[in-house]
Amino acid sequence: NHMSVDDPDLIKTVNSASLDSEKQKILRRSSVHPDFLNIAQFMDSFGWMLRLPSLSLDTLEDGLDYTSKEPDLYFDACCNAVEHLVISLLHRCGLITNPEKLITTLHKFLEFRDTTLHNILSSHTSFKELANGTKLAVILSICISQFDENAKFKTEFNSQYSPESLRFDPIGRDMNGNQYWL
């Protein structure tokens, strides 16, 4: 059971430890969240297969982290790029949407897949206003669903990768020849 960077207990612990504000900001950055790394790895490994928009890690992180209501051309562009990524991933799962209907589409998408995220989304009207951890969990859920719901992706994936190529080398063998992995 890991703590999310949006977890109130973690934030309370951080605040009670009287860390300076810079360290608190770092703990709230998307890039320290495990889902950020999973999404980055997915995009790096399979983005070309899905013809996803190319985003730098900085653009992805800045688009996820920016929450100010004040307009800022750079951060607005980053937020729009992340929304475009989400819309592209949903499109690959057969759901057509636009930025104005994104939360409604995500709500429908998550209804039977992840009830916790589904319930969180029901109180929001914009993807940009979601907490970092929630945005990351939503994007990761859509990435993972590509393996189940995107027949074209599955076919291309299976033609590109053999099961053996996806496995790590075993950490050892016993005297009976059984192999062991972590």
Side-chain angles (χ1 to χ4, degrees):
N1 195 9
H2 73 284
M3 280 201 230
S4 161
V5 291
D6 296 317
D7 188 323
D9 293 330
L10 175 62
I11 293 170
K12 186 171 29 171
T13 302
V14 168
N15 290 337
S16 68
S18 67
L19 294 174
D20 64 15
S21 64
E22 275 308 301
K23 288 182 182 173
Q24 289 182 27
K25 286 179 189 174
I26 290 169
L27 283 175
R28 289 191 177 95
R29 293 291 291 176
S30 294
S31 61
V32 299
H33 197 286
D35 288 348
F36 183 85
L37 299 175
N38 291 328
I39 292 165
Q41 181 65 43
F42 180 89
M43 290 176 57
D44 185 54
S45 299
F46 310 119
W48 64 272
M49 254 189 249
L50 293 164
R51 293 159 192 70
L52 293 176
S54 179
L55 294 179
S56 71
L57 292 178
D58 289 335
T59 301
L60 180 62
E61 182 179 26
D62 290 341
L64 290 165
D65 291 342
Y66 188 65
T67 57
S68 175
K69 301 289 185 205
E70 297 298 318
D72 181 290
L73 291 177
Y74 170 75
F75 287 108
D76 287 341
C78 291
C79 290
N80 291 339
V82 171
E83 280 190 347
H84 182 65
L85 170 67
V86 173
I87 290 168
S88 296
L89 284 165
L90 287 169
H91 180 78
R92 302 308 184 272
C93 287
L95 295 168
I96 308 302
T97 191
N98 59 45
E100 294 78 33
K101 296 180 182 178
L102 182 56
I103 286 290
T104 305
T105 305
L106 287 171
H107 199 261
K108 182 168 50 169
F109 176 80
L110 294 166
E111 185 173 9
F112 299 108
R113 291 173 184 85
D114 190 323
T115 55
T116 303
L117 285 176
H118 178 261
N119 292 336
I120 291 170
L121 287 178
S122 59
S123 63
H124 294 282
T125 58
S126 163
F127 185 78
K128 292 176 185 175
E129 72 183 25
L130 295 172
N132 299 2
T134 303
K135 289 179 196 174
L136 288 164
V138 166
I139 295 170
L140 185 60
S141 179
I142 302 168
C143 289
I144 292 169
S145 71
Q146 300 298 317
F147 292 100
D148 296 325
E149 299 184 27
N150 184 336
K152 187 175 178 182
F153 173 71
K154 281 196 306 192
T155 301
E156 191 163 347
F157 178 86
N158 288 332
S159 72
Q160 294 286 327
Y161 299 97
S162 69
E164 292 77 26
S165 71
L166 296 172
R167 290 191 185 115
F168 291 110
D169 291 332
I171 60 167
R173 299 178 200 274
D174 64 16
M175 58 202 309
N176 296 324
N178 297 318
Q179 299 178 5
Y180 295 92
W181 288 267
L182 287 177

